[in-house]
Amino acid sequence: MLKINNNFFDINQKYLFSEIRQIIRQKKSKNIKLIDMSIGDISLPIDQNIIKALHKAVDEMGDINNFKGYSPDQGYIFLRESIKQKYLKLKIKLNLSEIFISDGSKSDLSNILEIFSDQNIVGIQSISYPVYYDSCKLGGYQICFIRSCKENNFLPSPEDIIGPKPDLIYLCSPNNPTGMAYNTEQLKNWVDFALKNNIIIFYDSAYQDFIKQKDIPYTIYQIKDAKNCAIEFCSFSKSAGFTGLRCGYTIFPDEIILKINNKNINLNKLWARRQSTKFNGVSYLSQVAANEFLKNNNNLKYIKHCDANSKKIIKYLDNNLKQKYWGGVNSPYIWLETKNNLKSKDYFKYLINNYNIITTPGIGFGKDAEGFVRISNFFNI
Ligand SMILES: Cc1ncc(COP(=O)(O)O)c(C=O)c1O
């Protein structure tokens, strides 16, 4: 008899952001002008240098001497070389074989589980990007939570792990949704814990370009020996405005080795094998565009835009509201405590109905996120 993946019944049937989009559509159909501080999507067009590079790449595709077919499995050398140089500036040496170009980090953050047995326990921060939880559930992995809360400033440490010791851990810094980022000492604590306990960290670095404070590592590989235990997932979505174009990359170090029956298994090779079977690469156009962004890395207009918005919101919160908030410095997100202990969905509705402001109710980010809403500073008014 035909059977489906029953794990689908274990995840929220309506993905949070789709639900929010529906509410926005309903309000807009009544001609109500809303300020959208909910979804972390871009609100400005793509930079002109990138558009020019794209036009040139489009012309190449129509030229008998320059058109491109399938991309090399792990991405074009020109882009991987630029990424290698970017890390070299931080004194981190990468081999090109350690860099995998992706269609944005979401797919890899989910697909990475496939090279690990579903007998592994996966640690997830109790307030986190919903993709980690849903992917684990769909794959039938056991989950253990890492408590993220006011008491630990939404920056949980290994002592905050609840239940059995995990084999794999998702960490996200700067964090979506709390906007908080680990400093060097805190991140070192995680790396040391992972090395000591043979744990692999999936390090979601989608918001690394928002980091401003000196003591916040830009990449996990700035922590000693992190290349032995961490896979880093990066994206051009938020810093270059590529949410529509699609491009990102994953750093999978060669040093991540698992000893099984006295044999050393190089996990990078497993990932490469997985990708060559299930992924056919990212379009040449997106890779050219990403490369152009890296060449003009000083043009962080999306980040400047978010930072200016953050400043306005923080000023308003400081002067007018009594509620506490976190984030907004090294991140496009502000994590706001609800008023009078309101449930997050009720406060979300209160903000729409009274201020025409759309936020994201905390409850969509996990069980400990009740009592908070996320403000996204990508908005444009
Ligand atoms: C924490 C985090 N990681 C990863 C992603 C995925 O981004 P993309 O697939 O666009 O690279 C997002 C997107 O919102 C995110 O918030």
Side-chain angles (χ1 to χ4, degrees), residues 17 40 102-107 109 129 131-132 172 174-177 204-207 233-238 242-243 246-248 333 374:
F17 298 119
S102 68
D103 59 350
S105 54
K106 186 181 192 172
S107 338
L109 278 162
Y129 182 48
V131 170
Y132 318 143
C172 175
N175 187 277
N176 176 14
D204 184 347
S205 208
Y207 296 95
F233 301 84
C234 304
S235 173
F236 293 100
S237 285
K238 314 292 168 148
F242 277 33
T243 53
R246 309 305 303 148
C247 197
Y333 301 122
R374 187 192 72 176

Side-chain angles (χ1 to χ4, degrees), residues 276-323:
S276 68
T277 296
K278 293 201 174 183
F279 183 60
N280 242 349
V282 181
S283 94
Y284 174 64
L285 305 183
S286 293
Q287 295 192 59
V288 165
N291 197 46
E292 184 63 30
F293 171 72
L294 289 178
K295 278 190 346 209
N296 297 291
N297 199 349
N298 48 358
N299 191 355
L300 298 174
K301 74 167 177 181
Y302 293 94
I303 291 164
K304 286 182 194 148
H305 174 76
C306 282
D307 286 348
N309 282 343
S310 274
K311 282 197 182 112
K312 279 184 219 154
I313 298 288
I314 285 176
K315 195 169 169 196
Y316 182 80
L317 293 175
D318 286 344
N319 292 336
N320 299 284
L321 298 189
K322 294 273 177 290
Q323 291 130 259

Side-chain angles (χ1 to χ4, degrees), residues 10-273:
D10 283 344
I11 61 170
N12 191 348
Q13 288 306 305
K14 269 208 166 160
Y15 189 64
L16 176 75
F17 298 119
S18 328
E19 225 174 314
I20 289 174
R21 268 186 223 119
Q22 205 177 326
I23 297 179
I24 297 173
R25 267 198 301 274
Q26 280 164 2
K27 287 268 176 190
K28 282 187 176 163
S29 70
K30 292 179 193 157
N31 278 335
I32 298 172
K33 190 167 176 342
L34 299 168
I35 305 172
D36 190 351
M37 300 182 187
S38 61
I39 300 165
D41 200 355
I42 57 168
S43 59
L44 294 173
I46 288 177
D47 194 69
Q48 275 308 310
N49 283 338
I50 294 175
I51 297 298
K52 269 190 213 141
L54 274 168
H55 278 299
K56 190 164 164 278
V58 168
D59 286 341
E60 280 178 48
M61 288 303 232
D63 175 354
I64 186 74
N65 296 313
N66 285 309
F67 71 92
K68 304 284 185 292
Y70 288 118
S71 157
D73 271 356
Q74 287 187 215
Y76 283 98
I77 299 274
F78 64 78
L79 179 54
R80 285 189 284 150
E81 190 58 52
S82 294
I83 293 166
K84 182 178 162 173
Q85 294 308 321
K86 169 178 159 166
Y87 277 74
L88 211 50
K89 282 190 192 139
L90 301 166
K91 301 196 171 53
I92 294 154
K93 284 193 190 134
L94 297 176
N95 297 321
L96 291 186
S97 62
E98 295 176 301
I99 303 168
F100 295 77
I101 305 303
S102 68
D103 59 350
S105 54
K106 186 181 192 172
S107 338
D108 281 8
L109 278 162
S110 178
N111 294 334
I112 195 71
L113 288 166
E114 275 190 25
I115 63 166
F116 299 96
S117 154
D118 60 6
Q119 300 302 304
N120 288 300
I121 301 174
V122 189
I124 298 177
Q125 289 170 300
S126 60
I127 302 178
S128 58
Y129 182 48
V131 170
Y132 318 143
Y133 179 86
D134 288 358
S135 302
C136 288
K137 277 285 173 198
L138 290 178
Y141 294 79
Q142 193 185 328
I143 292 169
C144 81
F145 285 107
I146 307 166
R147 186 144 190 262
S148 177
C149 53
K150 272 204 278 192
E151 289 69 32
N152 58 29
N153 219 16
F154 300 104
L155 291 168
S157 67
E159 290 88 71
D160 296 307
I161 295 173
I162 303 164
K165 184 175 68 62
D167 306 291
L168 303 162
I169 290 179
Y170 279 99
L171 290 183
C172 175
S173 178
N175 187 277
N176 176 14
T178 67
M180 297 299 284
Y182 284 115
N183 66 26
T184 303
E185 192 190 331
Q186 291 162 332
L187 197 54
K188 182 177 178 320
N189 207 5
W190 274 112
V191 169
D192 291 348
F193 176 75
L195 291 169
K196 193 169 157 213
N197 294 286
N198 290 324
I199 294 168
I200 292 177
I201 296 174
F202 301 150
Y203 193 69
D204 184 347
S205 208
Y207 296 95
Q208 62 186 180
D209 282 326
F210 288 83
I211 293 172
K212 278 156 219 81
Q213 289 174 320
K214 287 236 154 41
D215 191 29
I216 309 285
Y218 180 81
T219 150
I220 195 166
Y221 305 122
Q222 284 168 311
I223 307 293
K224 188 171 177 293
D225 294 335
K227 276 191 92 190
N228 294 308
C229 67
I231 304 165
E232 183 163 278
F233 301 84
C234 304
S235 173
F236 293 100
S237 285
K238 314 292 168 148
S239 42
F242 277 33
T243 53
L245 261 180
R246 309 305 303 148
C247 197
Y249 59 93
T250 296
I251 311 280
F252 201 133
D254 284 327
E255 287 90 331
I256 302 188
I257 304 282
L258 214 68
K259 222 185 178 86
I260 302 174
N261 299 334
N262 277 336
K263 255 177 92 179
N264 283 338
I265 310 287
N266 180 337
L267 297 192
N268 168 296
K269 298 285 173 290
L270 285 194
W271 178 242
R273 186 69 190 80

